[in-house]
Each structure stands twice: as C-alpha cells, then as structure tokens.
C-alpha cells in the first residue's frame, strides 16, 4: 500500500467517525440528542467509533495472507468432537518464577510471573500455537487472610498496570476488602511484544489465544482458592468469554460477572470488517463460515453452564454499544437468567460509569455478605 493510499484510507476512516456515531444513535432508542444526557451518550458512542477506527487502521493491509478455509477444517473437526470440557485441559499448578512489588497512583501491587503451557489440542499444537509461554498476573493482596478474591479479566488493548487505576481496583481492594488478581492476557500489556500474538485476524490463532487465556486464568483461580473465602471471576469485553468459560470449567467459582460481553471474537472481527468494503470479503467469509463456527464452539460462552447459581451471575450491557452491540448481552441473559443491568451509554463509556461501578460493588457485597 502506497503512502498516498494509506493517507487516503486514514482520512476516510476518521472522517466517518462522527457520521457513524450519529447513525448508530439514531438506529438505537432512548437518545435525546439535545439534552445533557444525550450529549454525553454522543460523546461515548463517538469514542466507541473512534476506537473501532483505530483498530481498523492498525490492522493494516491484509489479505493476501488469509488462511484458507481448508486449513481450518482439521482443527474444526477436532474441536467439535472434543467439546468444551474435552478441549480445555486441566491446568498444572501455578508456580511463580518471580514476584515484584510495585506501586501505581498510590496503590501497592505485585507483578507475578509464571511459566504456563495450556496443553492445547493436537491440531492447534501441530500448527505451532501450543507450548509454554511466560504468563503474568497483577496482584493486590491484603497481608491478613483468608479474604474474598476477585479475578478480573481485562479486554482487548488493555492489560497494562494503568488498568488497576481505570478499573477502580483500589476501591474493591480497600473498601470492599477483596484481594484482586488481574491476569494479563497473551499479547497485551507487558506481554505485547512477546509470543504468542493475540488477538489476530487468523481464526486458529484467536481460538488458541483464548484457550491459552482461559487456561492461565484457571491456573490463577486454582492458586487463589486455598487462601480465599470466596472467588469471583469477572471479564470485560474480550475478557468476558474467558470469564464465562472459567466459570464453567472451575466448579468452585462462587460468582461470575460479565461486562459489555462479546460472544465470538472471530464473529465480532468479521462484523467490523465491513468498514473496509469489499476488499476484505474473503476474510469476512472465512470468519463467518460454518467451519470457523465449528472451530470456535469450544470457546462459545452460550454453550457453558456456569457453576454459580443465577443470583450470582451478573451481566452489564451498554445500550448504545457500537463495538460488541446489544445482541450478546441479550443472548447471554436469556441463557444465564442472572442479574442484568443496562448502562445507558457505550462500550467504552461503561468503564467510567459510576452507576455501573455501584452495581458491581453491590454484587460483590452480596457474594460475601
């Protein structure tokens, strides 16, 4: 791609942010544009669209390297035969290789690293997607115990220590008395430049990456359980299916919460590829194909049976979500029949909502109360 073409694409994409935001709000309900609330909603939806444009531009110029559908067939067949319980191997016990004490914005935390091999199914391992990698988890721990633990799974593009501040982990740690573990997903935060890369535009890599994330989070859950009065697993956006799968595979989880959830990473990517018009039709057709649907059946949050009972399942959706949209929240609530809260803003805006924060804190108090 020439510099002039690239510049034209950037200009076109950024120029569409405002029209897309207005169109999205007009297609929704409950938007009164002339009110202070409506202006706040516009700002949040604008932010959703701006972030999506950033992801689109950073994905660069594909698609000569798109994996052919035939290259996914063997893995899809194996995943379908194994099912969720068969595909996800029980993790080996977590053994820390290093623990470093640090501080950010007055909050004391520890960075713990450990080597972890998710023992992926044969077809994924044969493609070079398995094997050990350095895993990282940030910890905020009280020195007495046992305490309730919150295991927080971040979303795409997150995983840095600043998320301890943005996610208001300090309030949960100090005011509610929780210990908090924030595993860093592969390809994020301090793991951004390390193998394996994740997420990707390759459906096999996305499945392997999420399975690896699930295995690492399960290892953390099993590590905290002996020192916990209760264990809550939460996930936001791309972390939501990870949390959902962990709540199914780890039967001693006490509660699970999902925020602006997604159903399928490959499907979500395919949906937003329409921004590039017909130039990415091949990739979009691959990601939306029955073969890839079969492949991703082992990371489908709609196929899980969470261990916590319905009153201890929370889903927080964003009414004007332009990234994950509303459909995943509705589908999951129909399947889970738990507590549901609709935030009246956007996908990104929910992170900063004090109302969503109060809902979360009330939920956590109910778990330990």
């Amino acid at each position: 791609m020439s510099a002039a073409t690239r510049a034209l694409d950037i200009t076109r994409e950024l120029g569409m942010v405002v029209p897309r935001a207005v169109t999205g709000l007009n297609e929704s309900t409950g938007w009164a544009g002339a009110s202070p609330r409506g202006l706040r909603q516009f700002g949040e939806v604008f932010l959703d669209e701006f972030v999506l444009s950033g992801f689109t531009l950073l994905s660069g110029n594909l698609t000569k390297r798109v994996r052919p559908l035939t290259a996914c067939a063997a893995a899809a067949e194996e995943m379908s035969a194994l099912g969720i319980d068969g595909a996800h191997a029980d993790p080996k016990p977590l053994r820390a290789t290093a623990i470093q004490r640090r501080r950010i914005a007055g909050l004391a935390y520890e960075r713990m690293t450990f080597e972890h091999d998710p023992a992926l199914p044969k077809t994924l391992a044969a493609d070079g997607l398995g094997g050990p990698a350095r895993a990282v988890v940030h910890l905020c721990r009280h020195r007495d115990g046992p305490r309730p633990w919150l295991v927080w799974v971040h979303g795409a593009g997150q995983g840095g220590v600043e998320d301890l501040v943005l996610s208001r982990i300090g309030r949960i740690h100090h005011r509610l008395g929780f210990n908090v573990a924030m595993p860093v997903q592969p390809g994020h935060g301090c793991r951004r430049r390390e193998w394996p890369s994740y997420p990707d535009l390759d459906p096999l890599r996305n499945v392997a990456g999420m399975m690896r994330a699930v295995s690492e989070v399960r290892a953390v859950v099993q590590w905290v359980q002996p020192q916990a009065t209760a264990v809550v697993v939460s996930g936001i956006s791309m972390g939501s299916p990870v949390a959902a799968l962990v709540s199914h595979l780890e039967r001693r989880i006490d509660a699970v919460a999902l925020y602006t959830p997604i159903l399928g990473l490959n499907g979500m990517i395919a949906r937003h590829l329409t921004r590039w018009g017909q130039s990415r039709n091949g990739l979009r057709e691959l990601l939306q194909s029955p073969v890839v649907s079969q492949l991703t059946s082992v990371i489908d949050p709609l196929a899980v049976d969470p261990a916590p009972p319905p009153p201890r399942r929370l889903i927080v959706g964003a009414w004007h979500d332009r990234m994950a949209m509303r459909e995943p929240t509705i589908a999951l609530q129909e399947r889970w029949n738990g507590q549901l809260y609709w935030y009246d803003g956007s996908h990104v805006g929910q992170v900063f909502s004090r109302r969503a924060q109060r809902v979360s804190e009330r939920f956590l108090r109910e778990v330990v109360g």
Side-chain angles (χ1 to χ4, degrees):
M1 181 183 292
S2 68
T5 302
R6 182 66 172 164
L8 183 62
D9 283 341
I10 293 172
T11 302
R12 180 196 62 196
E13 184 64 26
L14 293 180
M16 289 299 295
V17 171
V18 170
R20 284 171 177 157
V22 173
T23 298
L25 284 164
N26 284 331
E27 290 174 350
S28 186
T29 58
W31 182 52
S35 68
R37 177 171 170 264
L39 291 174
R40 188 258 302 165
Q41 290 170 331
F42 172 79
E44 291 186 11
V45 171
F46 174 89
L47 189 56
D48 272 15
E49 293 290 351
F50 184 80
V51 171
L52 280 170
S53 292
F55 284 150
T56 301
L57 293 169
L58 289 173
S59 68
N61 183 26
L62 294 164
T63 61
K64 295 179 180 179
R65 297 179 291 107
V66 173
R67 183 186 294 268
L69 189 62
T70 54
C72 300
E77 184 177 345
E78 183 184 24
M79 298 304 114
S80 179
L82 288 172
I84 289 176
D85 293 319
H88 294 266
D90 289 335
K92 292 182 178 180
L94 186 158
R95 291 185 172 84
T97 55
I99 299 179
Q100 301 171 309
R101 293 185 179 182
R102 301 183 177 186
R103 298 184 72 87
I104 180 171
L107 177 66
Y109 73 96
E110 297 167 291
R111 173 179 290 182
M112 181 170 71
T113 59
F114 60 100
E115 292 295 313
H116 187 78
D117 187 339
L120 296 180
K122 292 179 181 178
T123 50
L124 298 180
D127 206 76
L129 302 175
R134 183 187 76 124
V136 179
V137 55
H138 295 129
L139 305 169
C140 293
R141 291 191 279 181
H142 295 277
R143 292 304 165 190
D144 61 344
R147 293 270 189 156
W149 276 83
L150 171 64
V151 180
W152 176 263
V153 189
H154 64 78
Q158 299 177 311
V161 293
E162 65 276 4
D163 289 336
L164 294 171
V165 178
L166 292 175
S167 302
R168 302 183 181 95
I169 293 300
R171 286 179 57 91
I172 296 170
H173 178 55
H174 293 299
R175 295 195 180 190
L176 302 187
F178 275 72
N179 291 336
V180 181
M182 190 183 77
V184 179
Q185 293 204 61
H188 290 75
C190 58
R191 303 176 67 182
R192 194 178 305 277
R193 293 178 177 83
E194 298 178 6
W195 179 89
S197 62
Y198 173 74
D200 204 290
L201 293 171
D202 180 337
L204 253 64
R205 289 184 181 275
N206 281 338
V207 171
M210 187 167 290
M211 292 183 71
R212 181 180 293 273
V214 168
S215 185
E216 291 175 0
V217 174
R218 291 180 68 193
V220 171
V221 166
Q222 293 181 12
W223 180 76
V224 306
Q225 275 175 330
Q227 49 189 312
T229 57
V231 178
V232 181
V233 176
S234 297
I236 183 170
S237 189
M238 196 182 79
S240 64
V242 176
L245 286 157
V246 171
S247 77
H248 167 87
L249 294 164
E250 294 298 319
R251 303 309 296 178
R252 293 166 58 198
I253 294 292
D254 295 281
V256 57
L258 309 182
Y259 298 83
T260 54
I262 69 171
L263 293 181
L265 181 57
N266 288 319
M268 182 177 172
I269 291 171
R271 178 174 191 145
H272 294 301
L273 283 173
T274 56
R275 292 165 173 266
W276 283 96
Q278 297 182 354
S279 65
R280 297 193 175 184
N281 279 351
L283 177 59
R284 186 163 57 250
E285 290 170 4
L286 170 66
L287 294 177
Q288 293 177 331
S289 69
V291 170
V292 170
S293 178
Q294 189 179 30
L295 172 69
T296 56
S297 62
V298 295
I299 55 170
D300 181 4
L302 289 178
V304 306
D305 172 29
R312 292 197 170 185
R313 305 170 186 172
L314 171 67
I315 300 175
V316 176
W319 193 254
H320 299 294
D321 193 330
R322 299 301 298 165
M323 299 179 76
M325 314 302 282
R326 287 183 208 156
E327 289 84 356
T329 296
I330 295 169
L332 277 164
Q333 176 60 14
E334 289 177 352
R335 174 72 175 84
W336 283 27
N337 193 31
Q339 298 187 42
L340 173 65
Y341 173 74
W342 282 108
Y343 170 61
D344 71 347
S346 76
H347 190 96
V348 176
Q350 180 273 138
V351 175
F352 306 101
S353 168
R354 294 189 181 275
R355 283 167 289 172
Q357 176 191 335
R358 287 194 293 270
V359 169
S360 297
E361 292 182 0
R362 184 177 67 239
F363 179 72
L364 292 174
R365 287 191 180 99
E366 290 172 355
V367 172
V368 298

